[in-house]
């Protein structure tokens, strides 16, 4: 979440087959966030750093595979009522058979399934059924939004008991993405590029790449630039706090041979 800017409900609804799971030497990989699970229908490209893509692949092949094996041995997936099963997970646009109110079935693309439908979405593999959801709990079932919130609450309680003075909530990760990871780095890089150009080159560059603030707006799924502007003020606060942390405590102390205020030299 801190590297993609996804909302909690969005990342909790992701299917494993929708997310890059291999590094490839490139800086970022992207995947499409469907409107059905994006807040306000804000379908968009989400970008994942190469290192994170590799870590997701490691999680899928180890921890996730382990809890799936245990749950499958307990027959947990066979007990899911009215499951939606992906029979062709390798297809470009996999579909599932969904029963309508009249009893008829229709093939629906996975990208059109809403979060509550994805909770019973399974994939048929050579080893048997498994949840389509990327993030699974120790029981081998998808982690719900409330389950994620409890993860944060438990971590905060442990930090409080340890006296660390650290606390975090899910939206703070998205906030960090917007303020630190993107605004600061993108804006600095953008300005550095512009500074090295002639006026004519600068104008052409802006026509092609546009405003970095608008780029962030689209990555966050904001419908209005006003929503994105909120983070500007947080970036200014961050810059001031950083400057203050770097200023020595005795910065304004007089030099040994400098007279105090009001003292006659």
């Amino acid at each position: 979440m801190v590297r993609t800017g996804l909302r909690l409900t969005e990342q909790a609804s992701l299917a494993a087959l929708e997310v890059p799971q291999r590094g490839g030497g490139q800086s970022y990989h992207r995947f499409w966030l469907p409107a059905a699970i994006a807040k306000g229908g804000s379908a968009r490209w989400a970008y994942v750093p190469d290192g994170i893509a590799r870590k997701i692949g490691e999680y899928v092949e180890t921890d996730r595979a382990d809890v799936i094996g245990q749950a499958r041995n307990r027959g947990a997936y066979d007990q899911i009522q009215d499951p939606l099963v992906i029979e062709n997970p390798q297809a470009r646009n996999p579909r599932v058979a969904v029963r309508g109110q009249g009893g008829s079935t229709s093939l629906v693309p996975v990208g059109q399934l809403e979060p509550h439908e994805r909770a019973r979405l399974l994939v048929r593999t050579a080893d048997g059924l498994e949840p389509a959801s990327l993030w699974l709990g120790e029981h081998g079932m998808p982690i719900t939004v409330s389950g994620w919130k409890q993860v944060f609450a438990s971590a905060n309680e442990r930090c409080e008991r340890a006296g660390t003075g650290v606390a975090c909530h899910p939206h703070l990760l998205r906030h960090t993405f917007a303020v630190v990871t993107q605004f600061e780095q993108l804006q600095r890089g953008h300005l550095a590029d512009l500074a090295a150009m002639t006026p004519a080159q600068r104008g052409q560059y802006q026509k092609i790449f546009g405003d970095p603030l608008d780029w962030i707006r689209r990555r966050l799924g904001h419908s209005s630039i006003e929503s994105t502007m909120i983070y500007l003020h947080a970036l200014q606060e961050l810059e001031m706090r950083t400057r203050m942390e770097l200023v020595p405590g005795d910065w304004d102390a007089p030099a040994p041979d400098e007279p105090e205020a009001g003292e006659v030299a």
Side-chain angles (χ1 to χ4, degrees):
M1 289 174 65
V2 79
R3 299 303 302 275
T4 62
L6 293 181
R7 298 175 176 90
L8 178 60
T9 52
E10 294 169 341
Q11 70 93 24
S13 302
L14 288 175
L17 54 82
E18 293 173 319
V19 183
Q21 299 177 18
R22 295 288 184 277
Q26 60 199 78
S27 299
Y28 281 84
H29 307 266
R30 70 177 187 175
F31 66 91
W32 185 250
L33 186 71
I37 63 173
K39 183 179 179 180
S42 57
R44 61 192 185 276
W45 288 110
Y47 290 80
V48 181
D50 187 72
I52 299 298
R54 289 199 304 270
K55 288 184 179 298
I56 291 176
E58 292 170 2
Y59 156 71
V60 168
E61 293 175 356
T62 55
D63 295 345
R64 185 176 182 276
D66 184 51
V67 296
I68 285 175
Q70 295 179 39
R72 188 182 286 137
N73 291 337
R74 298 195 308 269
Y77 305 136
D78 298 323
Q79 300 174 20
I80 296 178
Q81 296 184 355
D82 195 18
L84 299 175
V85 181
I86 302 174
E87 302 285 357
N88 56 341
Q90 304 304 323
R92 180 179 179 84
N93 189 19
R95 299 167 180 263
V96 294
V98 178
R99 276 203 305 248
Q101 293 182 347
S104 60
T105 61
S106 57
L107 292 177
V108 178
V110 170
Q112 294 182 12
L113 298 178
E114 297 183 358
H116 72 277
E117 295 173 307
R118 287 174 173 240
R120 52 193 174 94
L121 185 62
L122 301 174
V123 178
R124 192 178 302 282
T125 71
D127 297 322
L129 294 174
E130 66 178 53
S133 178
L134 174 61
W135 306 112
L136 305 180
E138 294 180 352
H139 42 53
M141 303 299 286
I143 305 177
T144 63
V145 171
S146 60
W148 276 113
K149 290 180 179 179
Q150 184 57 49
V151 168
F152 281 83
S154 298
N156 288 337
E157 290 173 2
R158 291 198 301 273
C159 289
E160 184 177 6
R161 289 196 301 269
T164 62
V166 174
C168 181
H169 54 82
H171 193 74
L172 185 60
L173 304 184
R174 176 173 161 86
H175 182 87
T176 301
F177 165 86
V179 175
V180 180
T181 308
Q182 295 299 324
F183 272 137
E184 188 174 21
Q185 295 182 8
L186 181 63
Q187 190 71 10
R188 286 181 179 177
H190 185 76
L191 293 177
D193 287 340
L194 293 178
M197 297 178 184
T198 65
Q201 292 172 328
R202 197 174 302 130
Q204 186 65 21
Y205 180 93
Q206 290 174 324
K207 286 181 182 179
I208 296 174
F209 294 102
D211 180 4
L213 192 63
D214 186 64
W215 192 92
I216 300 300
R217 178 192 67 77
R218 287 181 276 122
R219 298 289 74 75
L220 291 172
H222 287 158
S223 59
S224 168
I225 196 68
E226 282 72 23
S227 299
T228 315
M229 290 289 289
I230 295 173
Y231 293 99
L232 279 178
H233 126 96
L235 181 59
Q236 293 167 349
E237 289 185 359
L238 174 65
E239 181 179 9
M240 179 55 70
R241 288 178 58 186
T242 302
R243 290 179 181 274
M244 295 303 293
E245 289 292 335
L246 294 176
V247 174
D250 59 350
W251 182 264
D252 293 324
D257 56 351
E258 181 180 345
E260 297 283 355
E263 180 181 342
V264 178

